Amino acid sequence: NKKAFVELLFWKNPTVVWEMTKGYSSLQEGEGTTRSRVPPWTPQEEQELRELYWKYKEVEGGDIIAAILAHLPTAGRTRRQVVKQLVQM
């Protein structure tokens, strides 16, 4: 790439570097680091998360996220995923 020196003037994240080295269409083909490894939240999971949040929201001195994770029917969700989904909702 003859114009790579221009791209090096700006800050790059790993995804952009992957595209620069493997080709700009590689991420569109499903390759690279942007492929989602996290399964999307289903409407039923979102509803359950919403109900658990309202149930444990008022508990004094307790960790709301830990309580939600303990009672969430879908195992395999991380604390970060639950927090991110709650903020998004």
Side-chain angles (χ1 to χ4, degrees):
N1 187 355
K2 294 180 181 180
K3 298 180 183 176
F5 67 92
V6 175
E7 292 200 29
L8 295 175
L9 296 174
F10 302 99
W11 182 259
K12 302 289 183 240
N13 62 27
T15 305
V16 175
V17 173
W18 176 272
E19 282 189 320
M20 286 176 62
T21 57
K22 301 296 181 185
Y24 288 104
S25 64
S26 65
L27 291 179
Q28 295 172 355
E29 297 168 0
E31 299 175 1
T33 58
T34 62
R35 193 170 29 180
S36 177
R37 295 181 188 108
V38 178
W41 288 80
T42 64
Q44 294 83 12
E45 290 175 329
E46 287 181 358
Q47 181 63 30
E48 183 70 26
L49 182 63
R50 188 175 291 115
E51 290 172 5
L52 288 171
Y53 172 74
W54 287 109
K55 180 178 178 181
Y56 294 109
K57 181 178 103 160
E58 299 297 326
V59 175
E60 290 285 329
D63 185 10
I64 298 171
I65 304 302
I68 290 173
L69 282 171
H71 294 91
L72 200 61
T74 306
R77 295 286 184 185
T78 63
R79 182 178 181 90
R80 177 176 279 192
Q81 291 170 349
V82 170
V83 170
K84 183 178 178 183
Q85 186 64 24
L86 283 171
V87 168
Q88 186 177 7
M89 291 187 338

Coordinates of all heavy atoms in Angstrom, one line a residue:
N1 N 0.9 -1.2 0.0 CA 0.0 0.0 0.0 C 0.9 1.2 0.0 O 1.6 1.5 1.0 CB -0.9 0.0 1.2 CG -2.0 1.1 1.2 OD1 -2.0 1.9 0.3 ND2 -2.8 1.0 2.2
K2 N 0.9 2.0 -1.1 CA 1.8 3.1 -1.2 C 1.4 4.3 -0.3 O 2.1 5.2 0.0 CB 1.8 3.6 -2.7 CG 2.4 2.6 -3.6 CD 2.3 3.1 -5.0 CE 2.9 2.1 -6.0 NZ 2.9 2.5 -7.4
K3 N 0.1 4.3 0.2 CA -0.3 5.4 1.0 C -0.4 5.0 2.5 O -1.0 5.7 3.3 CB -1.7 5.9 0.5 CG -1.7 6.4 -0.9 CD -3.0 6.8 -1.4 CE -2.8 7.3 -2.8 NZ -4.1 7.7 -3.4
A4 N 0.3 4.0 2.9 CA 0.2 3.5 4.2 C 0.9 4.5 5.2 O 0.5 4.7 6.3 CB 0.9 2.2 4.4
F5 N 1.9 5.3 4.7 CA 2.5 6.3 5.5 C 1.5 7.3 6.0 O 1.7 7.8 7.1 CB 3.7 6.9 4.8 CG 3.3 7.8 3.6 CD1 3.1 9.1 3.8 CD2 3.1 7.2 2.4 CE1 2.7 9.9 2.7 CE2 2.8 8.0 1.3 CZ 2.6 9.4 1.5
V6 N 0.5 7.6 5.2 CA -0.5 8.6 5.7 C -1.3 8.0 6.8 O -1.6 8.7 7.8 CB -1.4 9.0 4.5 CG1 -2.5 10.0 4.9 CG2 -0.5 9.7 3.4
E7 N -1.6 6.8 6.7 CA -2.4 6.1 7.7 C -1.7 6.0 9.0 O -2.3 6.0 10.1 CB -2.9 4.8 7.3 CG -3.9 4.8 6.1 CD -4.7 3.6 6.0 OE1 -4.9 2.9 7.0 OE2 -5.1 3.3 4.9
L8 N -0.4 5.9 9.0 CA 0.4 5.8 10.2 C 0.5 7.1 11.0 O 0.9 7.1 12.1 CB 1.8 5.3 9.8 CG 1.9 3.9 9.2 CD1 3.4 3.7 8.8 CD2 1.4 2.9 10.2
L9 N 0.0 8.2 10.4 CA 0.0 9.5 11.2 C -1.1 9.5 12.2 O -1.1 10.4 13.1 CB -0.2 10.6 10.2 CG 1.0 10.8 9.2 CD1 0.6 11.9 8.2 CD2 2.3 11.1 9.8
F10 N -2.1 8.6 12.1 CA -3.2 8.7 13.0 C -3.2 7.4 13.9 O -2.8 6.3 13.5 CB -4.5 8.8 12.2 CG -4.5 10.0 11.3 CD1 -4.2 9.9 10.0 CD2 -4.8 11.2 11.9 CE1 -4.2 11.0 9.2 CE2 -4.8 12.4 11.1 CZ -4.5 12.3 9.7
W11 N -3.8 7.6 15.1 CA -3.9 6.5 16.0 C -4.8 5.3 15.5 O -5.8 5.6 14.9 CB -4.6 7.0 17.3 CG -4.7 5.9 18.4 CD1 -5.8 5.2 18.7 CD2 -3.6 5.4 19.2 NE1 -5.5 4.4 19.7 CE2 -4.2 4.5 20.0 CE3 -2.3 5.7 19.4 CZ2 -3.4 3.8 21.0 CZ3 -1.5 5.0 20.3 CH2 -2.1 4.1 21.1
K12 N -4.3 4.1 15.7 CA -5.1 2.9 15.1 C -5.4 2.0 16.2 O -4.7 1.8 17.2 CB -4.2 2.2 14.1 CG -3.7 3.0 12.9 CD -4.8 3.3 12.0 CE -4.3 4.1 10.8 NZ -4.9 5.4 10.7
N13 N -6.6 1.3 16.1 CA -7.0 0.3 17.0 C -6.6 -1.0 16.3 O -6.3 -1.1 15.1 CB -8.4 0.4 17.4 CG -9.4 0.3 16.2 OD1 -9.1 -0.3 15.2 ND2 -10.6 0.9 16.4
P14 N -6.7 -2.2 17.1 CA -6.4 -3.4 16.5 C -7.2 -3.8 15.2 O -6.7 -4.5 14.3 CB -6.6 -4.5 17.6 CG -6.5 -3.7 18.8 CD -7.0 -2.3 18.5
T15 N -8.4 -3.4 15.2 CA -9.3 -3.7 14.0 C -8.8 -3.1 12.8 O -8.7 -3.7 11.7 CB -10.7 -3.3 14.3 OG1 -11.1 -3.9 15.5 CG2 -11.6 -3.7 13.2
V16 N -8.4 -1.8 12.9 CA -7.9 -1.1 11.7 C -6.6 -1.6 11.3 O -6.3 -1.7 10.1 CB -7.8 0.4 12.0 CG1 -7.2 1.2 10.9 CG2 -9.2 1.0 12.4
V17 N -5.7 -2.0 12.2 CA -4.4 -2.6 11.8 C -4.6 -3.9 11.1 O -3.9 -4.2 10.1 CB -3.5 -2.7 13.1 CG1 -2.3 -3.5 12.8 CG2 -3.2 -1.4 13.7
W18 N -5.6 -4.7 11.6 CA -5.9 -5.9 10.9 C -6.3 -5.7 9.5 O -5.9 -6.4 8.6 CB -7.0 -6.7 11.7 CG -7.5 -7.9 11.0 CD1 -8.4 -8.0 10.0 CD2 -7.0 -9.2 11.2 NE1 -8.6 -9.3 9.6 CE2 -7.7 -10.1 10.3 CE3 -6.0 -9.8 12.0 CZ2 -7.5 -11.5 10.3 CZ3 -5.8 -11.1 12.0 CH2 -6.5 -12.0 11.1
E19 N -7.2 -4.7 9.3 CA -7.6 -4.4 7.9 C -6.4 -3.9 7.0 O -6.3 -4.2 5.9 CB -8.7 -3.3 7.9 CG -10.0 -3.8 8.3 CD -11.1 -2.7 8.1 OE1 -10.8 -1.5 8.4 OE2 -12.2 -3.0 7.6
M20 N -5.5 -3.1 7.6 CA -4.4 -2.6 6.9 C -3.5 -3.7 6.4 O -3.0 -3.7 5.3 CB -3.6 -1.6 7.7 CG -4.2 -0.3 7.9 SD -3.3 0.8 9.0 CE -1.7 1.0 8.1
T21 N -3.3 -4.7 7.3 CA -2.3 -5.8 6.9 C -3.0 -6.9 6.1 O -2.3 -7.5 5.3 CB -1.7 -6.4 8.2 OG1 -2.8 -6.9 9.1 CG2 -0.9 -5.4 9.0
K22 N -4.2 -7.2 6.3 CA -4.9 -8.3 5.6 C -5.7 -7.9 4.4 O -6.2 -8.7 3.7 CB -5.8 -9.1 6.6 CG -5.1 -9.7 7.8 CD -4.1 -10.7 7.4 CE -3.4 -11.3 8.6 NZ -2.4 -12.2 8.3
G23 N -6.0 -6.6 4.3 CA -6.8 -6.1 3.2 C -8.1 -5.5 3.8 O -8.6 -6.0 4.7
Y24 N -8.5 -4.5 3.1 CA -9.7 -3.7 3.6 C -11.0 -4.4 3.5 O -11.9 -4.1 4.2 CB -9.7 -2.4 3.0 CG -8.7 -1.4 3.4 CD1 -7.5 -1.2 2.6 CD2 -8.7 -0.9 4.7 CE1 -6.5 -0.3 3.1 CE2 -7.7 0.0 5.1 CZ -6.6 0.2 4.3 OH -5.6 1.0 4.8
S25 N -11.1 -5.5 2.8 CA -12.4 -6.2 2.7 C -12.4 -7.4 3.6 O -13.4 -8.1 3.6 CB -12.6 -6.6 1.2 OG -11.6 -7.5 0.8
S26 N -11.3 -7.7 4.3 CA -11.3 -8.9 5.1 C -12.3 -8.9 6.2 O -12.8 -10.0 6.5 CB -9.9 -9.1 5.7 OG -9.6 -8.1 6.6
L27 N -12.6 -7.8 6.9 CA -13.5 -7.8 7.9 C -15.0 -7.9 7.4 O -15.8 -8.4 8.1 CB -13.4 -6.5 8.7 CG -12.2 -6.4 9.6 CD1 -12.1 -5.1 10.3 CD2 -12.1 -7.5 10.5
Q28 N -15.2 -7.5 6.2 CA -16.5 -7.7 5.6 C -16.8 -9.2 5.3 O -17.9 -9.6 5.2 CB -16.7 -6.8 4.4 CG -16.6 -5.4 4.7 CD -16.5 -4.5 3.4 OE1 -16.4 -5.0 2.3 NE2 -16.6 -3.2 3.6
E29 N -15.7 -9.9 5.1 CA -15.9 -11.4 4.8 C -16.1 -12.2 6.1 O -16.1 -13.4 6.0 CB -14.7 -11.8 4.0 CG -14.5 -11.2 2.7 CD -13.1 -11.5 2.1 OE1 -12.3 -12.2 2.7 OE2 -12.9 -10.9 1.0
G30 N -16.1 -11.6 7.2 CA -16.3 -12.3 8.5 C -15.0 -12.7 9.1 O -15.0 -13.5 10.1
E31 N -13.9 -12.2 8.7 CA -12.6 -12.5 9.3 C -12.2 -11.3 10.2 O -12.8 -10.3 10.1 CB -11.5 -12.6 8.2 CG -11.8 -13.8 7.2 CD -10.7 -13.8 6.1 OE1 -9.8 -12.9 6.1 OE2 -10.9 -14.6 5.2
G32 N -11.2 -11.6 11.0 CA -10.7 -10.5 11.8 C -11.2 -10.5 13.2 O -11.8 -11.4 13.7
T33 N -11.0 -9.3 13.9 CA -11.2 -9.3 15.3 C -12.6 -8.8 15.7 O -13.0 -8.8 16.8 CB -10.2 -8.3 16.0 OG1 -10.3 -7.0 15.4 CG2 -8.8 -8.8 15.9
T34 N -13.4 -8.3 14.7 CA -14.7 -7.8 15.1 C -15.8 -8.8 15.1 O -17.0 -8.5 15.4 CB -15.1 -6.7 14.1 OG1 -15.2 -7.2 12.8 CG2 -14.1 -5.5 14.1
R35 N -15.5 -10.1 14.8 CA -16.5 -11.1 14.8 C -17.0 -11.3 16.2 O -16.2 -11.4 17.2 CB -15.9 -12.4 14.3 CG -16.9 -13.5 14.0 CD -16.3 -14.6 13.3 NE -14.9 -14.8 13.6 CZ -14.1 -15.7 13.1 NH1 -14.6 -16.6 12.3 NH2 -12.9 -15.8 13.5
S36 N -18.3 -11.2 16.4 CA -18.9 -11.2 17.7 C -18.8 -12.6 18.3 O -19.3 -13.6 17.7 CB -20.3 -10.7 17.7 OG -20.9 -10.8 18.9
R37 N -18.3 -12.7 19.5 CA -18.2 -14.0 20.2 C -19.3 -14.1 21.3 O -19.5 -15.1 21.9 CB -16.9 -14.2 20.9 CG -15.7 -14.3 19.9 CD -14.4 -14.5 20.6 NE -13.3 -14.4 19.6 CZ -12.5 -13.4 19.5 NH1 -12.6 -12.4 20.3 NH2 -11.6 -13.4 18.6
V38 N -20.0 -12.9 21.5 CA -21.0 -12.9 22.5 C -22.4 -13.1 21.9 O -22.7 -12.4 20.9 CB -21.0 -11.5 23.2 CG1 -22.1 -11.3 24.2 CG2 -19.6 -11.2 23.8
P39 N -23.1 -14.1 22.3 CA -24.5 -14.2 21.8 C -25.4 -13.1 22.1 O -25.3 -12.5 23.2 CB -25.0 -15.5 22.4 CG -24.2 -15.7 23.7 CD -22.8 -15.0 23.4
P40 N -26.2 -12.6 21.2 CA -27.1 -11.5 21.4 C -28.1 -11.9 22.5 O -28.4 -13.0 22.7 CB -27.7 -11.2 20.1 CG -27.6 -12.5 19.3 CD -26.4 -13.2 19.8
W41 N -28.6 -10.8 23.1 CA -29.7 -11.0 24.1 C -31.0 -11.2 23.5 O -31.4 -10.5 22.6 CB -29.7 -9.8 25.0 CG -28.6 -9.7 26.0 CD1 -27.3 -9.2 25.7 CD2 -28.5 -10.0 27.4 NE1 -26.5 -9.2 26.8 CE2 -27.2 -9.7 27.8 CE3 -29.5 -10.6 28.2 CZ2 -26.9 -10.0 29.1 CZ3 -29.1 -10.8 29.5 CH2 -27.8 -10.5 30.0
T42 N -31.7 -12.3 23.8 CA -33.0 -12.5 23.3 C -34.0 -11.7 24.1 O -33.7 -11.2 25.2 CB -33.4 -14.0 23.5 OG1 -33.5 -14.3 24.8 CG2 -32.4 -14.9 22.8
P43 N -35.2 -11.4 23.5 CA -36.2 -10.7 24.2 C -36.6 -11.3 25.5 O -36.9 -10.6 26.5 CB -37.4 -10.7 23.2 CG -36.8 -10.9 21.9 CD -35.6 -11.7 22.1
Q44 N -36.6 -12.6 25.6 CA -36.9 -13.3 26.9 C -35.9 -13.0 27.9 O -36.2 -12.8 29.1 CB -37.1 -14.8 26.7 CG -38.2 -15.2 25.8 CD -37.9 -15.2 24.3 OE1 -36.8 -15.0 23.9 NE2 -39.0 -15.2 23.5
E45 N -34.6 -13.1 27.5 CA -33.5 -12.8 28.4 C -33.5 -11.3 28.9 O -33.3 -11.0 30.1 CB -32.1 -13.0 27.8 CG -31.8 -14.5 27.6 CD -30.5 -14.7 26.8 OE1 -30.2 -13.9 26.0 OE2 -29.9 -15.7 27.1
E46 N -33.9 -10.4 28.0 CA -34.0 -9.0 28.4 C -35.1 -8.8 29.4 O -34.9 -8.1 30.3 CB -34.2 -8.1 27.1 CG -33.0 -8.0 26.3 CD -33.3 -7.1 25.1 OE1 -34.4 -6.6 24.9 OE2 -32.3 -6.8 24.3
Q47 N -36.2 -9.5 29.2 CA -37.3 -9.4 30.1 C -37.0 -9.9 31.5 O -37.3 -9.3 32.5 CB -38.6 -10.1 29.5 CG -39.8 -10.0 30.4 CD -40.3 -8.6 30.6 OE1 -40.1 -7.7 29.7 NE2 -40.8 -8.3 31.7
E48 N -36.3 -11.1 31.5 CA -35.8 -11.6 32.8 C -34.8 -10.7 33.5 O -34.9 -10.5 34.7 CB -35.2 -13.0 32.5 CG -34.8 -13.7 33.7 CD -36.0 -14.2 34.6 OE1 -37.1 -14.4 34.0 OE2 -35.8 -14.4 35.8
L49 N -33.9 -10.1 32.7 CA -33.0 -9.2 33.3 C -33.6 -8.0 33.9 O -33.3 -7.5 35.0 CB -32.0 -8.8 32.2 CG -30.8 -7.9 32.6 CD1 -29.9 -8.5 33.6 CD2 -30.0 -7.5 31.4
R50 N -34.6 -7.5 33.1 CA -35.4 -6.3 33.6 C -36.1 -6.7 35.0 O -36.1 -5.9 35.9 CB -36.4 -5.9 32.6 CG -37.1 -4.6 32.9 CD -38.0 -4.1 31.7 NE -37.1 -3.7 30.5 CZ -37.1 -4.4 29.4 NH1 -37.9 -5.4 29.2 NH2 -36.4 -3.9 28.4
E51 N -36.7 -7.8 35.0 CA -37.5 -8.2 36.2 C -36.5 -8.4 37.4 O -36.8 -8.0 38.5 CB -38.2 -9.5 35.9 CG -39.4 -9.3 35.0 CD -40.1 -10.6 34.6 OE1 -39.6 -11.7 35.1 OE2 -41.0 -10.6 33.8
L52 N -35.4 -9.1 37.1 CA -34.4 -9.3 38.2 C -33.8 -7.9 38.7 O -33.6 -7.8 39.9 CB -33.2 -10.2 37.7 CG -33.6 -11.7 37.5 CD1 -32.5 -12.4 36.9 CD2 -33.9 -12.3 38.9
Y53 N -33.6 -7.0 37.8 CA -33.1 -5.7 38.2 C -34.1 -5.0 39.1 O -33.7 -4.5 40.2 CB -32.8 -4.8 37.0 CG -32.5 -3.4 37.4 CD1 -31.2 -3.1 37.9 CD2 -33.4 -2.4 37.2 CE1 -30.9 -1.8 38.3 CE2 -33.1 -1.1 37.6 CZ -31.8 -0.8 38.1 OH -31.5 0.5 38.5
W54 N -35.3 -5.0 38.8 CA -36.3 -4.4 39.6 C -36.5 -5.1 40.9 O -36.8 -4.5 42.0 CB -37.7 -4.2 38.9 CG -37.6 -3.2 37.8 CD1 -37.6 -3.4 36.5 CD2 -37.5 -1.8 38.0 NE1 -37.5 -2.2 35.8 CE2 -37.5 -1.2 36.7 CE3 -37.5 -0.9 39.1 CZ2 -37.4 0.2 36.6 CZ3 -37.4 0.4 39.0 CH2 -37.3 1.0 37.7
K55 N -36.3 -6.4 40.9 CA -36.4 -7.2 42.2 C -35.3 -6.9 43.1 O -35.5 -6.7 44.3 CB -36.4 -8.7 41.8 CG -36.6 -9.6 43.0 CD -36.6 -11.0 42.5 CE -36.7 -12.0 43.7 NZ -36.7 -13.4 43.3
Y56 N -34.1 -6.8 42.6 CA -32.9 -6.6 43.5 C -32.4 -5.1 43.6 O -31.4 -4.9 44.3 CB -31.8 -7.5 43.0 CG -32.1 -8.9 43.2 CD1 -32.3 -9.7 42.1 CD2 -32.2 -9.5 44.4 CE1 -32.7 -11.1 42.2 CE2 -32.5 -10.8 44.6 CZ -32.8 -11.6 43.5 OH -33.1 -12.9 43.6
K57 N -33.1 -4.2 43.0 CA -32.7 -2.8 43.0 C -32.7 -2.2 44.4 O -31.8 -1.4 44.7 CB -33.6 -2.0 42.0 CG -33.2 -0.6 41.9 CD -34.1 0.1 40.9 CE -35.2 0.9 41.7 NZ -35.8 1.9 40.9
E58 N -33.7 -2.6 45.2 CA -33.9 -1.9 46.5 C -33.2 -2.6 47.6 O -33.3 -2.2 48.7 CB -35.4 -1.9 46.8 CG -36.1 -1.0 45.7 CD -35.7 0.4 45.7 OE1 -35.4 1.0 46.8 OE2 -35.7 1.0 44.6
V59 N -32.4 -3.7 47.3 CA -31.7 -4.5 48.4 C -30.6 -3.6 48.9 O -29.7 -3.1 48.2 CB -31.2 -5.8 47.9 CG1 -30.4 -6.5 48.9 CG2 -32.3 -6.7 47.4
E60 N -30.6 -3.4 50.3 CA -29.6 -2.6 50.9 C -28.3 -3.4 51.1 O -28.3 -4.5 51.5 CB -30.1 -2.1 52.3 CG -31.2 -1.1 52.2 CD -30.7 0.3 51.8 OE1 -29.5 0.6 52.2 OE2 -31.4 1.0 51.2
G61 N -27.2 -2.8 50.8 CA -25.9 -3.4 51.1 C -25.5 -4.6 50.2 O -24.5 -5.2 50.5
G62 N -26.3 -4.8 49.2 CA -26.0 -6.0 48.4 C -25.5 -5.5 47.0 O -25.8 -4.4 46.5
D63 N -24.8 -6.4 46.3 CA -24.4 -6.2 45.0 C -25.5 -6.6 44.0 O -25.8 -7.8 43.9 CB -23.1 -6.9 44.7 CG -22.5 -6.6 43.4 OD1 -22.9 -5.7 42.7 OD2 -21.5 -7.4 43.0
I64 N -26.1 -5.6 43.3 CA -27.2 -5.9 42.5 C -26.8 -6.9 41.3 O -27.5 -7.8 41.0 CB -27.8 -4.6 41.9 CG1 -28.3 -3.7 43.0 CG2 -28.8 -4.9 40.9 CD1 -28.7 -2.3 42.5
I65 N -25.6 -6.6 40.7 CA -25.2 -7.4 39.6 C -24.9 -8.8 40.0 O -25.2 -9.8 39.3 CB -24.0 -6.8 38.9 CG1 -24.3 -5.3 38.5 CG2 -23.5 -7.6 37.7 CD1 -25.4 -5.2 37.6
A66 N -24.3 -9.0 41.2 CA -24.0 -10.4 41.7 C -25.3 -11.1 41.9 O -25.4 -12.3 41.6 CB -23.2 -10.3 43.0
A67 N -26.3 -10.5 42.5 CA -27.6 -11.1 42.7 C -28.3 -11.5 41.4 O -28.9 -12.5 41.2 CB -28.5 -10.2 43.5
I68 N -28.2 -10.6 40.4 CA -28.8 -10.9 39.1 C -28.1 -12.1 38.4 O -28.7 -13.0 37.9 CB -28.7 -9.6 38.2 CG1 -29.7 -8.6 38.7 CG2 -29.0 -10.0 36.7 CD1 -29.6 -7.2 38.0
L69 N -26.7 -12.1 38.5 CA -26.0 -13.2 37.9 C -26.3 -14.5 38.6 O -26.4 -15.6 37.9 CB -24.5 -12.9 38.0 CG -23.9 -11.9 37.0 CD1 -22.5 -11.6 37.3 CD2 -24.0 -12.5 35.6
A70 N -26.6 -14.5 39.9 CA -26.9 -15.7 40.6 C -28.2 -16.3 40.2 O -28.5 -17.5 40.2 CB -26.9 -15.5 42.1
H71 N -29.2 -15.4 39.8 CA -30.5 -15.8 39.5 C -30.8 -15.8 38.0 O -32.0 -16.1 37.6 CB -31.5 -15.0 40.2 CG -31.5 -15.2 41.7 ND1 -30.7 -14.4 42.5 CD2 -32.1 -16.1 42.5 CE1 -30.8 -14.8 43.8 NE2 -31.6 -15.9 43.8
L72 N -29.9 -15.4 37.2 CA -30.1 -15.3 35.7 C -30.1 -16.8 35.2 O -29.2 -17.6 35.4 CB -29.0 -14.6 35.1 CG -29.2 -14.0 33.7 CD1 -30.4 -13.0 33.7 CD2 -28.0 -13.3 33.2
P73 N -31.2 -17.1 34.5 CA -31.3 -18.5 34.0 C -30.3 -18.9 32.9 O -29.9 -20.0 32.8 CB -32.7 -18.6 33.4 CG -33.1 -17.2 33.1 CD -32.3 -16.3 34.1
T74 N -29.8 -17.9 32.2 CA -28.8 -18.2 31.2 C -27.4 -18.1 31.8 O -26.9 -17.1 32.1 CB -28.9 -17.2 30.0 OG1 -30.2 -17.2 29.5 CG2 -28.0 -17.6 28.9
A75 N -26.8 -19.3 31.9 CA -25.4 -19.3 32.5 C -24.5 -18.9 31.3 O -24.7 -19.1 30.2 CB -25.1 -20.7 33.0
G76 N -23.3 -18.4 31.7 CA -22.4 -18.0 30.7 C -22.3 -16.5 30.5 O -21.4 -16.0 29.7
R77 N -23.2 -15.7 31.0 CA -23.1 -14.3 30.9 C -22.2 -13.7 31.9 O -22.2 -14.1 33.1 CB -24.5 -13.6 31.1 CG -25.5 -14.0 30.0 CD -25.2 -13.3 28.8 NE -26.3 -13.6 27.8 CZ -26.3 -13.2 26.6 NH1 -25.2 -12.5 26.1 NH2 -27.2 -13.5 25.7
T78 N -21.3 -12.8 31.5 CA -20.4 -12.2 32.4 C -21.0 -11.0 33.1 O -22.0 -10.5 32.6 CB -19.1 -11.8 31.7 OG1 -19.4 -10.8 30.7 CG2 -18.4 -13.0 31.0
R79 N -20.3 -10.5 34.1 CA -20.7 -9.3 34.8 C -20.7 -8.1 33.9 O -21.7 -7.3 33.9 CB -19.8 -9.1 36.0 CG -20.1 -7.9 36.8 CD -19.2 -7.8 38.0 NE -19.5 -6.7 38.9 CZ -20.3 -6.8 39.9 NH1 -20.8 -7.9 40.2 NH2 -20.6 -5.7 40.6
R80 N -19.7 -8.0 33.1 CA -19.6 -6.9 32.1 C -20.7 -7.0 31.1 O -21.3 -5.9 30.7 CB -18.3 -7.0 31.4 CG -18.1 -5.9 30.3 CD -16.7 -6.0 29.7 NE -15.9 -5.3 30.7 CZ -14.6 -4.9 30.4 NH1 -14.1 -5.2 29.2 NH2 -13.9 -4.3 31.3
Q81 N -21.1 -8.1 30.6 CA -22.2 -8.3 29.7 C -23.5 -7.8 30.3 O -24.3 -7.1 29.6 CB -22.3 -9.7 29.1 CG -21.2 -10.1 28.3 CD -21.2 -11.6 28.0 OE1 -22.0 -12.4 28.6 NE2 -20.4 -12.1 27.1
V82 N -23.7 -8.2 31.5 CA -25.0 -7.8 32.2 C -25.0 -6.3 32.4 O -26.1 -5.7 32.2 CB -25.1 -8.6 33.6 CG1 -26.3 -8.0 34.4 CG2 -25.3 -10.1 33.3
V83 N -23.9 -5.7 32.9 CA -23.9 -4.3 33.1 C -24.1 -3.6 31.8 O -24.9 -2.6 31.7 CB -22.6 -3.9 33.8 CG1 -22.4 -2.4 33.8 CG2 -22.5 -4.4 35.2
K84 N -23.5 -4.0 30.8 CA -23.6 -3.3 29.4 C -25.0 -3.4 28.9 O -25.6 -2.4 28.4 CB -22.6 -4.0 28.4 CG -22.7 -3.3 27.1 CD -21.7 -4.0 26.2 CE -21.7 -3.4 24.8 NZ -20.8 -4.1 23.8
Q85 N -25.7 -4.6 29.1 CA -27.0 -4.7 28.7 C -28.0 -3.8 29.5 O -28.9 -3.2 28.9 CB -27.5 -6.2 28.7 CG -28.8 -6.4 28.1 CD -28.9 -6.1 26.6 OE1 -27.9 -6.1 25.9 NE2 -30.1 -5.8 26.2
L86 N -27.8 -3.8 30.8 CA -28.6 -2.9 31.6 C -28.5 -1.5 31.2 O -29.5 -0.7 31.2 CB -28.2 -3.1 33.1 CG -28.7 -4.4 33.8 CD1 -28.1 -4.5 35.2 CD2 -30.3 -4.4 33.9
V87 N -27.3 -1.0 31.0 CA -27.1 0.4 30.6 C -27.7 0.6 29.2 O -28.4 1.7 29.0 CB -25.6 0.7 30.5 CG1 -25.3 2.0 29.8 CG2 -25.0 0.7 31.9
Q88 N -27.6 -0.3 28.3 CA -28.2 -0.2 27.0 C -29.7 -0.1 27.1 O -30.4 0.6 26.3 CB -27.8 -1.3 26.1 CG -28.2 -1.2 24.7 CD -27.7 -2.3 23.8 OE1 -27.1 -3.3 24.3 NE2 -28.0 -2.3 22.5
M89 N -30.3 -0.9 28.0 CA -31.8 -0.9 28.1 C -32.3 0.3 28.8 O -33.3 0.8 28.6 CB -32.2 -2.2 28.9 CG -32.0 -3.5 28.1 SD -32.7 -5.0 28.9 CE -32.9 -4.7 30.5

